[in-house]
Amino acid sequence: MTTTLITGANKGLGFETARRLIAAGHTVYVGARDAERGRRAADELGARFVQLDVTDDASVEAAAKTLDAAGGLDVLINNAGIETRTEDNSVPVAATVTADQMRTTFETNVFGVVRVLHAFLPLLQRSAAPVVVNVSSGLGSLTHLSDPDHPAHFYPGIAYPTSKTAVNMLTVQFAKAFPAMRINSVEPGFTKTDLNGNTGTQTVAEGAEIIVRMAQVGPDGPTGGFFDAKGPLSW
């Protein structure tokens, strides 16, 4: 039985990913900051719930102890993420972004990933087939955002794409450091979720497809890569 933890899984892509992996036979832990919402989501899915706030050391450490006591972990999906938006659903641009906005975004999107990886690596190292999926974004691709012919080039925000570029570097470095694990970044696509004010053009079912696929790679599967539903992406 494969045991999987998904951070930020009480709604959106995390919830849909949990649903699909449960259907595939995984024992899924719904990690959520809000206990009430997390338990409700887990009950609806037939999953297990663990309170997990990726910005809080004590919360993450407690979650790791819970899964350790329950038998361990095989798949970690770092899905929790935020995008700073204003009241009119726009994103802070180069002329307006502040250090505090950058710090807030990085606390969840980057430091949260490191915090969770650090806590759960001992459990993953005991798995026969450990997998880590870092939910990134095509907006983290330097190649795409610097290409005037690519749609992502026109995204004006600073904090979110910078954080996802950092996530991609974490993927590269952790994959090199732990070659026995399959560690990859994925780009779900512009999916309609609360993160973007539900302005996305894809459904959560479409967005979750690559997350679910990479969560199920075997020991001979790719590692240290960046993928969307169509295949490898440029960094």
Side-chain angles (χ1 to χ4, degrees), residues 125-170:
Q125 287 177 298
R126 297 202 299 266
S127 171
V131 172
V132 176
V133 180
N134 293 325
V135 178
S136 182
S137 169
L139 295 176
S141 169
L142 295 171
T143 299
H144 291 170
L145 266 71
S146 59
D147 178 2
D149 293 325
H150 195 282
H153 176 76
F154 300 98
Y155 178 86
I158 305 296
Y160 184 76
T162 305
S163 74
K164 293 303 186 179
T165 302
V167 168
N168 287 348
M169 182 59 78
L170 291 175

mmCIF file of all heavy atoms in Angstrom, residues 125-170:
data_model
loop_
_atom_site.group_PDB
_atom_site.id
_atom_site.type_symbol
_atom_site.label_atom_id
_atom_site.label_comp_id
_atom_site.label_asym_id
_atom_site.label_seq_id
_atom_site.Cartn_x
_atom_site.Cartn_y
_atom_site.Cartn_z
ATOM 1 N N GLN A 125 13.107 8.178 3.104
ATOM 2 C CA GLN A 125 14.304 7.360 2.911
ATOM 3 C C GLN A 125 14.084 5.910 3.338
ATOM 4 O O GLN A 125 14.832 5.029 2.912
ATOM 5 C CB GLN A 125 15.483 7.974 3.661
ATOM 6 C CG GLN A 125 16.012 9.241 3.001
ATOM 7 C CD GLN A 125 17.136 9.882 3.784
ATOM 8 O OE1 GLN A 125 16.963 10.299 4.923
ATOM 9 N NE2 GLN A 125 18.301 9.960 3.172
ATOM 10 N N ARG A 126 13.079 5.668 4.140
ATOM 11 C CA ARG A 126 12.759 4.297 4.548
ATOM 12 C C ARG A 126 11.808 3.609 3.570
ATOM 13 O O ARG A 126 11.550 2.404 3.691
ATOM 14 C CB ARG A 126 12.151 4.293 5.953
ATOM 15 C CG ARG A 126 13.098 4.802 7.035
ATOM 16 C CD ARG A 126 12.699 4.290 8.412
ATOM 17 N NE ARG A 126 11.371 4.727 8.822
ATOM 18 C CZ ARG A 126 11.134 5.814 9.567
ATOM 19 N NH1 ARG A 126 12.141 6.577 9.965
ATOM 20 N NH2 ARG A 126 9.906 6.133 9.916
ATOM 21 N N SER A 127 11.268 4.357 2.620
ATOM 22 C CA SER A 127 10.344 3.792 1.637
ATOM 23 C C SER A 127 11.109 3.021 0.567
ATOM 24 O O SER A 127 12.228 3.384 0.196
ATOM 25 C CB SER A 127 9.525 4.904 0.984
ATOM 26 O OG SER A 127 8.781 4.415 -0.119
ATOM 27 N N ALA A 128 10.483 1.992 0.038
ATOM 28 C CA ALA A 128 11.095 1.214 -1.047
ATOM 29 C C ALA A 128 11.081 1.976 -2.367
ATOM 30 O O ALA A 128 11.903 1.700 -3.254
ATOM 31 C CB ALA A 128 10.373 -0.118 -1.212
ATOM 32 N N ALA A 129 10.152 2.928 -2.515
ATOM 33 C CA ALA A 129 10.031 3.675 -3.774
ATOM 34 C C ALA A 129 9.577 5.107 -3.476
ATOM 35 O O ALA A 129 8.449 5.485 -3.786
ATOM 36 C CB ALA A 129 9.055 2.979 -4.712
ATOM 37 N N PRO A 130 10.453 5.923 -2.876
ATOM 38 C CA PRO A 130 10.059 7.268 -2.478
ATOM 39 C C PRO A 130 9.924 8.232 -3.659
ATOM 40 O O PRO A 130 10.739 8.215 -4.583
ATOM 41 C CB PRO A 130 11.194 7.700 -1.546
ATOM 42 C CG PRO A 130 12.380 6.921 -2.021
ATOM 43 C CD PRO A 130 11.841 5.611 -2.488
ATOM 44 N N VAL A 131 8.880 9.047 -3.587
ATOM 45 C CA VAL A 131 8.586 10.015 -4.647
ATOM 46 C C VAL A 131 8.254 11.364 -4.013
ATOM 47 O O VAL A 131 7.529 11.430 -3.019
ATOM 48 C CB VAL A 131 7.396 9.549 -5.509
ATOM 49 C CG1 VAL A 131 6.968 10.635 -6.495
ATOM 50 C CG2 VAL A 131 7.740 8.264 -6.256
ATOM 51 N N VAL A 132 8.784 12.422 -4.610
ATOM 52 C CA VAL A 132 8.419 13.791 -4.217
ATOM 53 C C VAL A 132 7.953 14.527 -5.465
ATOM 54 O O VAL A 132 8.636 14.517 -6.493
ATOM 55 C CB VAL A 132 9.601 14.542 -3.582
ATOM 56 C CG1 VAL A 132 9.212 15.991 -3.270
ATOM 57 C CG2 VAL A 132 10.078 13.842 -2.320
ATOM 58 N N VAL A 133 6.798 15.164 -5.359
ATOM 59 C CA VAL A 133 6.276 16.004 -6.440
ATOM 60 C C VAL A 133 6.158 17.423 -5.905
ATOM 61 O O VAL A 133 5.402 17.673 -4.966
ATOM 62 C CB VAL A 133 4.908 15.511 -6.940
ATOM 63 C CG1 VAL A 133 4.414 16.419 -8.068
ATOM 64 C CG2 VAL A 133 4.984 14.062 -7.413
ATOM 65 N N ASN A 134 6.915 18.335 -6.492
ATOM 66 C CA ASN A 134 6.823 19.744 -6.129
ATOM 67 C C ASN A 134 5.932 20.448 -7.151
ATOM 68 O O ASN A 134 6.273 20.504 -8.337
ATOM 69 C CB ASN A 134 8.207 20.387 -6.115
ATOM 70 C CG ASN A 134 9.091 19.846 -5.012
ATOM 71 O OD1 ASN A 134 8.613 19.526 -3.929
ATOM 72 N ND2 ASN A 134 10.385 19.732 -5.272
ATOM 73 N N VAL A 135 4.796 20.943 -6.683
ATOM 74 C CA VAL A 135 3.880 21.624 -7.595
ATOM 75 C C VAL A 135 4.433 23.014 -7.861
ATOM 76 O O VAL A 135 4.414 23.890 -7.004
ATOM 77 C CB VAL A 135 2.454 21.679 -7.028
ATOM 78 C CG1 VAL A 135 1.539 22.430 -7.988
ATOM 79 C CG2 VAL A 135 1.925 20.269 -6.795
ATOM 80 N N SER A 136 4.923 23.194 -9.056
ATOM 81 C CA SER A 136 5.537 24.448 -9.472
ATOM 82 C C SER A 136 4.567 25.188 -10.389
ATOM 83 O O SER A 136 3.358 25.132 -10.205
ATOM 84 C CB SER A 136 6.878 24.158 -10.165
ATOM 85 O OG SER A 136 7.527 25.346 -10.544
ATOM 86 N N SER A 137 5.094 25.866 -11.381
ATOM 87 C CA SER A 137 4.271 26.606 -12.341
ATOM 88 C C SER A 137 5.100 26.895 -13.578
ATOM 89 O O SER A 137 6.321 27.098 -13.475
ATOM 90 C CB SER A 137 3.798 27.928 -11.731
ATOM 91 O OG SER A 137 3.212 28.770 -12.721
ATOM 92 N N GLY A 138 4.434 26.933 -14.716
ATOM 93 C CA GLY A 138 5.118 27.361 -15.933
ATOM 94 C C GLY A 138 5.655 28.774 -15.809
ATOM 95 O O GLY A 138 6.591 29.163 -16.514
ATOM 96 N N LEU A 139 5.077 29.540 -14.879
ATOM 97 C CA LEU A 139 5.553 30.907 -14.651
ATOM 98 C C LEU A 139 6.911 30.913 -13.960
ATOM 99 O O LEU A 139 7.540 31.963 -13.848
ATOM 100 C CB LEU A 139 4.541 31.685 -13.812
ATOM 101 C CG LEU A 139 3.181 31.934 -14.477
ATOM 102 C CD1 LEU A 139 2.234 32.620 -13.511
ATOM 103 C CD2 LEU A 139 3.361 32.776 -15.749
ATOM 104 N N GLY A 140 7.358 29.755 -13.496
ATOM 105 C CA GLY A 140 8.688 29.650 -12.910
ATOM 106 C C GLY A 140 9.765 29.378 -13.941
ATOM 107 O O GLY A 140 10.947 29.304 -13.604
ATOM 108 N N SER A 141 9.378 29.249 -15.211
ATOM 109 C CA SER A 141 10.332 28.960 -16.271
ATOM 110 C C SER A 141 10.981 30.250 -16.762
ATOM 111 O O SER A 141 10.322 31.100 -17.371
ATOM 112 C CB SER A 141 9.643 28.252 -17.439
ATOM 113 O OG SER A 141 10.495 28.205 -18.565
ATOM 114 N N LEU A 142 12.274 30.393 -16.550
ATOM 115 C CA LEU A 142 12.999 31.559 -17.059
ATOM 116 C C LEU A 142 12.960 31.589 -18.584
ATOM 117 O O LEU A 142 12.883 32.656 -19.197
ATOM 118 C CB LEU A 142 14.451 31.531 -16.563
ATOM 119 C CG LEU A 142 14.659 31.680 -15.053
ATOM 120 C CD1 LEU A 142 16.117 31.411 -14.686
ATOM 121 C CD2 LEU A 142 14.256 33.069 -14.591
ATOM 122 N N THR A 143 13.002 30.407 -19.187
ATOM 123 C CA THR A 143 12.951 30.317 -20.646
ATOM 124 C C THR A 143 11.651 30.911 -21.185
ATOM 125 O O THR A 143 11.646 31.719 -22.126
ATOM 126 C CB THR A 143 13.072 28.850 -21.099
ATOM 127 O OG1 THR A 143 14.322 28.331 -20.656
ATOM 128 C CG2 THR A 143 12.998 28.738 -22.615
ATOM 129 N N HIS A 144 10.528 30.532 -20.571
ATOM 130 C CA HIS A 144 9.229 30.987 -21.060
ATOM 131 C C HIS A 144 8.999 32.477 -20.797
ATOM 132 O O HIS A 144 8.531 33.205 -21.676
ATOM 133 C CB HIS A 144 8.109 30.176 -20.406
ATOM 134 C CG HIS A 144 8.067 28.755 -20.850
ATOM 135 N ND1 HIS A 144 7.275 27.801 -20.248
ATOM 136 C CD2 HIS A 144 8.729 28.109 -21.845
ATOM 137 C CE1 HIS A 144 7.445 26.638 -20.852
ATOM 138 N NE2 HIS A 144 8.328 26.796 -21.808
ATOM 139 N N LEU A 145 9.346 32.933 -19.612
ATOM 140 C CA LEU A 145 9.061 34.330 -19.290
ATOM 141 C C LEU A 145 9.981 35.316 -20.007
ATOM 142 O O LEU A 145 9.660 36.498 -20.125
ATOM 143 C CB LEU A 145 9.097 34.574 -17.777
ATOM 144 C CG LEU A 145 7.707 34.457 -17.120
ATOM 145 C CD1 LEU A 145 7.228 33.019 -17.096
ATOM 146 C CD2 LEU A 145 7.686 35.048 -15.730
ATOM 147 N N SER A 146 11.109 34.823 -20.495
ATOM 148 C CA SER A 146 12.016 35.699 -21.243
ATOM 149 C C SER A 146 11.809 35.610 -22.753
ATOM 150 O O SER A 146 12.481 36.293 -23.520
ATOM 151 C CB SER A 146 13.473 35.375 -20.905
ATOM 152 O OG SER A 146 13.777 34.029 -21.213
ATOM 153 N N ASP A 147 10.840 34.795 -23.164
ATOM 154 C CA ASP A 147 10.548 34.594 -24.591
ATOM 155 C C ASP A 147 9.327 35.412 -24.986
ATOM 156 O O ASP A 147 8.206 35.078 -24.600
ATOM 157 C CB ASP A 147 10.304 33.107 -24.851
ATOM 158 C CG ASP A 147 9.950 32.806 -26.303
ATOM 159 O OD1 ASP A 147 9.930 33.744 -27.127
ATOM 160 O OD2 ASP A 147 9.679 31.627 -26.607
ATOM 161 N N PRO A 148 9.491 36.477 -25.778
ATOM 162 C CA PRO A 148 8.345 37.328 -26.141
ATOM 163 C C PRO A 148 7.287 36.613 -26.966
ATOM 164 O O PRO A 148 6.174 37.128 -27.127
ATOM 165 C CB PRO A 148 8.988 38.471 -26.926
ATOM 166 C CG PRO A 148 10.301 37.944 -27.393
ATOM 167 C CD PRO A 148 10.752 36.978 -26.350
ATOM 168 N N ASP A 149 7.600 35.427 -27.480
ATOM 169 C CA ASP A 149 6.620 34.668 -28.260
ATOM 170 C C ASP A 149 5.855 33.661 -27.413
ATOM 171 O O ASP A 149 4.985 32.952 -27.928
ATOM 172 C CB ASP A 149 7.319 33.931 -29.413
ATOM 173 C CG ASP A 149 7.874 34.879 -30.457
ATOM 174 O OD1 ASP A 149 7.230 35.921 -30.705
ATOM 175 O OD2 ASP A 149 8.960 34.587 -31.000
ATOM 176 N N HIS A 150 6.171 33.590 -26.109
ATOM 177 C CA HIS A 150 5.480 32.644 -25.230
ATOM 178 C C HIS A 150 4.427 33.387 -24.410
ATOM 179 O O HIS A 150 4.683 34.491 -23.920
ATOM 180 C CB HIS A 150 6.471 31.959 -24.290
ATOM 181 C CG HIS A 150 5.923 30.742 -23.628
ATOM 182 N ND1 HIS A 150 5.064 30.810 -22.550
ATOM 183 C CD2 HIS A 150 6.090 29.420 -23.899
ATOM 184 C CE1 HIS A 150 4.726 29.588 -22.185
ATOM 185 N NE2 HIS A 150 5.325 28.725 -22.977
ATOM 186 N N PRO A 151 3.222 32.812 -24.256
ATOM 187 C CA PRO A 151 2.161 33.500 -23.498
ATOM 188 C C PRO A 151 2.578 33.909 -22.083
ATOM 189 O O PRO A 151 2.149 34.948 -21.572
ATOM 190 C CB PRO A 151 1.038 32.460 -23.457
ATOM 191 C CG PRO A 151 1.259 31.607 -24.656
ATOM 192 C CD PRO A 151 2.747 31.541 -24.834
ATOM 193 N N ALA A 152 3.418 33.096 -21.424
ATOM 194 C CA ALA A 152 3.832 33.408 -20.058
ATOM 195 C C ALA A 152 4.654 34.686 -19.983
ATOM 196 O O ALA A 152 4.755 35.310 -18.918
ATOM 197 C CB ALA A 152 4.638 32.243 -19.481
ATOM 198 N N HIS A 153 5.233 35.086 -21.099
ATOM 199 C CA HIS A 153 6.060 36.308 -21.137
ATOM 200 C C HIS A 153 5.296 37.528 -20.636
ATOM 201 O O HIS A 153 5.883 38.462 -20.077
ATOM 202 C CB HIS A 153 6.533 36.542 -22.577
ATOM 203 C CG HIS A 153 7.309 37.802 -22.780
ATOM 204 N ND1 HIS A 153 8.625 37.939 -22.393
ATOM 205 C CD2 HIS A 153 6.951 38.993 -23.326
ATOM 206 C CE1 HIS A 153 9.047 39.146 -22.697
ATOM 207 N NE2 HIS A 153 8.058 39.801 -23.256
ATOM 208 N N PHE A 154 3.995 37.518 -20.803
ATOM 209 C CA PHE A 154 3.191 38.707 -20.509
ATOM 210 C C PHE A 154 2.659 38.756 -19.079
ATOM 211 O O PHE A 154 1.981 39.703 -18.701
ATOM 212 C CB PHE A 154 2.031 38.805 -21.514
ATOM 213 C CG PHE A 154 2.528 38.900 -22.938
ATOM 214 C CD1 PHE A 154 2.588 37.778 -23.745
ATOM 215 C CD2 PHE A 154 2.976 40.112 -23.433
ATOM 216 C CE1 PHE A 154 3.068 37.862 -25.042
ATOM 217 C CE2 PHE A 154 3.470 40.209 -24.735
ATOM 218 C CZ PHE A 154 3.513 39.087 -25.539
ATOM 219 N N TYR A 155 2.977 37.743 -18.280
ATOM 220 C CA TYR A 155 2.582 37.780 -16.869
ATOM 221 C C TYR A 155 3.448 38.819 -16.156
ATOM 222 O O TYR A 155 4.675 38.725 -16.168
ATOM 223 C CB TYR A 155 2.767 36.403 -16.235
ATOM 224 C CG TYR A 155 2.427 36.364 -14.758
ATOM 225 C CD1 TYR A 155 1.123 36.152 -14.329
ATOM 226 C CD2 TYR A 155 3.413 36.547 -13.797
ATOM 227 C CE1 TYR A 155 0.810 36.114 -12.976
ATOM 228 C CE2 TYR A 155 3.115 36.506 -12.444
ATOM 229 C CZ TYR A 155 1.815 36.299 -12.042
ATOM 230 O OH TYR A 155 1.516 36.267 -10.701
ATOM 231 N N PRO A 156 2.828 39.835 -15.494
ATOM 232 C CA PRO A 156 3.613 40.943 -14.943
ATOM 233 C C PRO A 156 4.064 40.790 -13.499
ATOM 234 O O PRO A 156 4.833 41.603 -12.994
ATOM 235 C CB PRO A 156 2.627 42.113 -15.043
ATOM 236 C CG PRO A 156 1.290 41.468 -14.777
ATOM 237 C CD PRO A 156 1.373 40.099 -15.407
ATOM 238 N N GLY A 157 3.568 39.749 -12.796
ATOM 239 C CA GLY A 157 3.865 39.608 -11.377
ATOM 240 C C GLY A 157 5.329 39.274 -11.110
ATOM 241 O O GLY A 157 6.055 38.822 -11.995
ATOM 242 N N ILE A 158 5.725 39.482 -9.871
ATOM 243 C CA ILE A 158 7.102 39.257 -9.465
ATOM 244 C C ILE A 158 7.223 38.130 -8.441
ATOM 245 O O ILE A 158 7.984 37.181 -8.612
ATOM 246 C CB ILE A 158 7.709 40.544 -8.859
ATOM 247 C CG1 ILE A 158 7.590 41.721 -9.839
ATOM 248 C CG2 ILE A 158 9.174 40.302 -8.460
ATOM 249 C CD1 ILE A 158 8.371 41.556 -11.117
ATOM 250 N N ALA A 159 6.442 38.210 -7.366
ATOM 251 C CA ALA A 159 6.634 37.296 -6.229
ATOM 252 C C ALA A 159 6.365 35.839 -6.597
ATOM 253 O O ALA A 159 7.177 34.954 -6.291
ATOM 254 C CB ALA A 159 5.751 37.724 -5.065
ATOM 255 N N TYR A 160 5.228 35.580 -7.233
ATOM 256 C CA TYR A 160 4.841 34.197 -7.505
ATOM 257 C C TYR A 160 5.802 33.493 -8.462
ATOM 258 O O TYR A 160 6.305 32.403 -8.136
ATOM 259 C CB TYR A 160 3.410 34.150 -8.044
ATOM 260 C CG TYR A 160 2.885 32.756 -8.277
ATOM 261 C CD1 TYR A 160 2.489 31.956 -7.206
ATOM 262 C CD2 TYR A 160 2.767 32.236 -9.566
ATOM 263 C CE1 TYR A 160 2.005 30.673 -7.413
ATOM 264 C CE2 TYR A 160 2.279 30.961 -9.782
ATOM 265 C CZ TYR A 160 1.909 30.181 -8.701
ATOM 266 O OH TYR A 160 1.434 28.907 -8.911
ATOM 267 N N PRO A 161 6.107 34.065 -9.642
ATOM 268 C CA PRO A 161 7.024 33.353 -10.536
ATOM 269 C C PRO A 161 8.417 33.196 -9.954
ATOM 270 O O PRO A 161 9.068 32.162 -10.167
ATOM 271 C CB PRO A 161 7.037 34.212 -11.812
ATOM 272 C CG PRO A 161 6.547 35.538 -11.394
ATOM 273 C CD PRO A 161 5.597 35.297 -10.273
ATOM 274 N N THR A 162 8.872 34.191 -9.193
ATOM 275 C CA THR A 162 10.186 34.077 -8.566
ATOM 276 C C THR A 162 10.210 32.913 -7.579
ATOM 277 O O THR A 162 11.175 32.138 -7.514
ATOM 278 C CB THR A 162 10.557 35.382 -7.839
ATOM 279 O OG1 THR A 162 10.470 36.474 -8.749
ATOM 280 C CG2 THR A 162 11.967 35.320 -7.278
ATOM 281 N N SER A 163 9.118 32.763 -6.831
ATOM 282 C CA SER A 163 9.054 31.665 -5.861
ATOM 283 C C SER A 163 9.054 30.310 -6.561
ATOM 284 O O SER A 163 9.661 29.343 -6.075
ATOM 285 C CB SER A 163 7.812 31.808 -4.962
ATOM 286 O OG SER A 163 6.618 31.468 -5.641
ATOM 287 N N LYS A 164 8.399 30.221 -7.696
ATOM 288 C CA LYS A 164 8.331 28.937 -8.395
ATOM 289 C C LYS A 164 9.646 28.611 -9.103
ATOM 290 O O LYS A 164 10.001 27.431 -9.260
ATOM 291 C CB LYS A 164 7.158 28.928 -9.378
ATOM 292 C CG LYS A 164 5.797 28.962 -8.683
ATOM 293 C CD LYS A 164 5.626 27.806 -7.699
ATOM 294 C CE LYS A 164 4.221 27.734 -7.115
ATOM 295 N NZ LYS A 164 4.050 26.602 -6.181
ATOM 296 N N THR A 165 10.372 29.621 -9.535
ATOM 297 C CA THR A 165 11.718 29.372 -10.047
ATOM 298 C C THR A 165 12.586 28.801 -8.946
ATOM 299 O O THR A 165 13.380 27.876 -9.166
ATOM 300 C CB THR A 165 12.340 30.670 -10.592
ATOM 301 O OG1 THR A 165 11.511 31.206 -11.623
ATOM 302 C CG2 THR A 165 13.725 30.410 -11.176
ATOM 303 N N ALA A 166 12.427 29.322 -7.733
ATOM 304 C CA ALA A 166 13.175 28.792 -6.593
ATOM 305 C C ALA A 166 12.780 27.345 -6.301
ATOM 306 O O ALA A 166 13.633 26.512 -5.979
ATOM 307 C CB ALA A 166 12.937 29.665 -5.363
ATOM 308 N N VAL A 167 11.495 27.033 -6.400
ATOM 309 C CA VAL A 167 11.041 25.647 -6.209
ATOM 310 C C VAL A 167 11.710 24.729 -7.225
ATOM 311 O O VAL A 167 12.135 23.615 -6.889
ATOM 312 C CB VAL A 167 9.508 25.557 -6.315
ATOM 313 C CG1 VAL A 167 9.047 24.104 -6.410
ATOM 314 C CG2 VAL A 167 8.852 26.232 -5.120
ATOM 315 N N ASN A 168 11.822 25.182 -8.459
ATOM 316 C CA ASN A 168 12.470 24.362 -9.477
ATOM 317 C C ASN A 168 13.932 24.088 -9.132
ATOM 318 O O ASN A 168 14.443 22.982 -9.359
ATOM 319 C CB ASN A 168 12.360 25.028 -10.843
ATOM 320 C CG ASN A 168 10.959 24.941 -11.418
ATOM 321 O OD1 ASN A 168 10.115 24.198 -10.907
ATOM 322 N ND2 ASN A 168 10.699 25.692 -12.470
ATOM 323 N N MET A 169 14.622 25.093 -8.577
ATOM 324 C CA MET A 169 16.002 24.869 -8.168
ATOM 325 C C MET A 169 16.070 23.878 -6.999
ATOM 326 O O MET A 169 16.978 23.043 -6.949
ATOM 327 C CB MET A 169 16.658 26.184 -7.778
ATOM 328 C CG MET A 169 18.124 26.046 -7.380
ATOM 329 S SD MET A 169 19.159 25.336 -8.696
ATOM 330 C CE MET A 169 19.352 26.768 -9.758
ATOM 331 N N LEU A 170 15.111 23.953 -6.087
ATOM 332 C CA LEU A 170 15.057 22.975 -5.006
ATOM 333 C C LEU A 170 14.930 21.562 -5.578
ATOM 334 O O LEU A 170 15.581 20.622 -5.107
ATOM 335 C CB LEU A 170 13.879 23.260 -4.075
ATOM 336 C CG LEU A 170 13.962 24.515 -3.208
ATOM 337 C CD1 LEU A 170 12.650 24.701 -2.446
ATOM 338 C CD2 LEU A 170 15.130 24.443 -2.252
#
